Amino acid sequence: MPEEESVIIVGAGPSGLAAAACLSRLSIPYLILEREDCYASLWKKKAYDRLHLHLAKKYCELPHMEMPADWPKFPSRQQFVQYLDDYADRFGIRPMYRRSVESGRFDESEKKWNVVVRNGDSGELEEYSAPFLVVASGETSDAFVPEIDGINTFTGRVIHSTQYKSGEEYADMNVLVVGSGNSGMEIAHDLSDFGAKTSIVVRSPIHILSREMVYLGLMLLKYVSCNIVDSFMVILSKLVYGGDTTISKYGISRPEEGPFFLKVKYGKYPVIDTGTIGKIKSGVIQVLPKLVSIRDGEAVFEGGKSHPFDAIIFATGFKRSTNKWLKGDDYLLNEDGLPNPSFPNHWKGKNGLYCVGLARRGLYGAAMDAQNIANDIKAQL
């Protein structure tokens, strides 16, 4: 790698693009490594067709470039991909693709990070070095599917939500969605729209809010405490979706802690309803408890009941991959690949190590991280 590169960015999702743009604005040379064959691969290749941003676009913009004013408040996946394409073009971001990082170590004698990658095209190892390393591999690095006893005996289709595109191919099939986060809920909605007999596993308490409730809550957080906003959000949720007794009839319960508290403390998003709860109440979508095992081709649930399915879709989230390759860091990131330091000091480690987009604060948080990192690096050059 040429000597003039000051920063290595690992990951070319929205977080990596934001970091690259901020560095570029300050004339700081960088190199961006991406294991896939395109940037923002989760948005371009691994998201379902009906996906829209769950937060208003003002909270999803990357630094130094707004989304078009004539776009809807909640842009579609296709629109957001177009925004990312335009963003990469504007800031001249050209990642090195199919570079899977195998190790990243800080060399004390050279005062540089040495990053070893596998070239996916040639199969050969390549090594790059720079004084600063930015981890931008994201919260959604590796798809996670839990171990379910007997799943290998299931004769139907089994996929992760990243492989799901549309309910069209599941028409008239009996489909189980495992996972009641936003992806699981929206996929269940999509499946039922296309005539699939849809069930969803809801094993933990969830907050249910509409997009407009979340938008209102985010606005209120600028002026009043999180506790007050959370109390107001729960009242609104009960008015719109029913009290605790009402939703318990459908196999759903609410957490004791408020929705924004859970988001900040544990990174647990509320369910932002786009119509799924109405389908659950009308009986179109069935709620089931924890999936325990697969036995004789049927799914067995907590409590002992079993049901047959033609397909199982795991909307069970992601794991981070940083712990597999980042060596010698005992400060910034924990074993799960998330920051040890608490917000707002989560983005800066030691020896020129940084992370962007790992604070569980969405695209808005990633944008703040990227600007902080670029400014901090600039002050050291």
Side-chain angles (χ1 to χ4, degrees), residues 104-106 113 326-331 351:
R105 288 184 173 86
F106 184 72
W113 285 92
L326 184 61
K327 311 298 181 183
D329 169 49
D330 58 359
Y331 174 76
N351 298 320

Side-chain angles (χ1 to χ4, degrees), residues 5 11 29 65 75 79 113 115 121 140 151 163 184 231 248 294 314 318 334 354 362 376 381:
E5 259 76 23
M65 181 173 152
Q79 286 174 315
W113 285 92
V115 178
D121 293 321
T140 54
I151 192 68
Q163 299 167 278
S231 297
S248 67
I294 303 296
F314 284 94
F318 300 83
N334 62 25
Y354 301 89
D376 195 71
L381 294 176

Side-chain angles (χ1 to χ4, degrees), residues 125-362:
L125 291 177
E126 301 169 352
E127 186 169 347
Y128 303 95
S129 63
F132 302 101
L133 175 62
V134 177
V135 177
S137 44
E139 297 178 25
T140 54
S141 179
D142 295 340
F144 171 71
V145 175
E147 292 185 9
I148 302 294
D149 184 42
I151 192 68
N152 59 325
T153 68
F154 184 70
T155 56
R157 185 184 306 180
V158 179
I159 65 169
H160 187 266
S161 58
T162 52
Q163 299 167 278
Y164 179 87
K165 293 299 180 186
S166 167
E168 187 173 6
E169 59 187 296
Y170 296 91
D172 299 320
M173 293 173 65
N174 205 356
V175 185
L176 174 67
V177 179
V178 181
S180 56
N182 283 302
S183 292
M185 284 290 190
E186 199 160 359
I187 286 171
H189 187 291
D190 192 58
L191 285 164
S192 67
D193 277 355
F194 282 95
K197 302 174 184 67
T198 308
S199 300
I200 185 168
V201 169
V202 180
R203 53 177 290 186
S204 304
I206 55 174
H207 281 293
I208 309 161
L209 304 175
S210 69
R211 284 172 173 159
E212 293 299 341
M213 287 180 199
V214 174
Y215 181 75
L216 176 60
L218 291 171
M219 296 294 289
L220 289 174
L221 282 171
K222 297 177 181 179
Y223 308 104
V224 294
S225 71
C226 183
N227 286 341
I228 294 174
V229 175
D230 272 345
S231 297
F232 184 47
M233 290 296 105
V234 171
I235 291 171
L236 286 178
S237 178
K238 288 180 178 180
L239 286 171
V240 173
Y241 298 107
D244 294 344
T245 302
T246 299
I247 64 172
S248 67
K249 297 175 185 177
Y250 307 102
I252 299 172
S253 62
R254 288 187 176 90
E256 292 184 8
E257 300 93 342
F260 286 105
F261 172 84
L262 288 174
K263 176 66 184 71
V264 171
K265 184 71 174 177
Y266 303 109
K268 184 176 175 61
Y269 287 84
V271 169
I272 303 174
D273 181 52
T274 58
T276 309
I277 302 303
K279 291 198 170 198
I280 289 172
K281 288 182 174 180
S282 67
V284 175
I285 296 173
Q286 176 183 213
V287 171
L288 294 170
K290 179 182 177 181
L291 174 63
V292 176
S293 64
I294 303 296
R295 186 179 64 217
D296 299 327
E298 292 196 352
V300 182
F301 299 88
E302 200 169 55
K305 289 186 178 181
S306 63
H307 302 275
F309 292 99
D310 301 307
I312 301 176
I313 300 170
F314 284 94
T316 42
F318 300 83
K319 294 288 186 181
R320 271 60 57 189
S321 60
T322 321
N323 63 314
K324 298 176 184 177
W325 59 264
L326 184 61
K327 311 298 181 183
D329 169 49
D330 58 359
Y331 174 76
L332 184 60
L333 301 177
N334 62 25
E335 290 186 359
D336 195 28
L338 295 171
N340 279 314
S342 57
F343 181 88
N345 303 309
H346 59 280
W347 51 273
K348 184 177 180 179
K350 298 177 179 178
N351 298 320
L353 179 64
Y354 301 89
C355 67
V356 56
L358 291 176
R360 291 179 162 178
R361 290 172 181 261

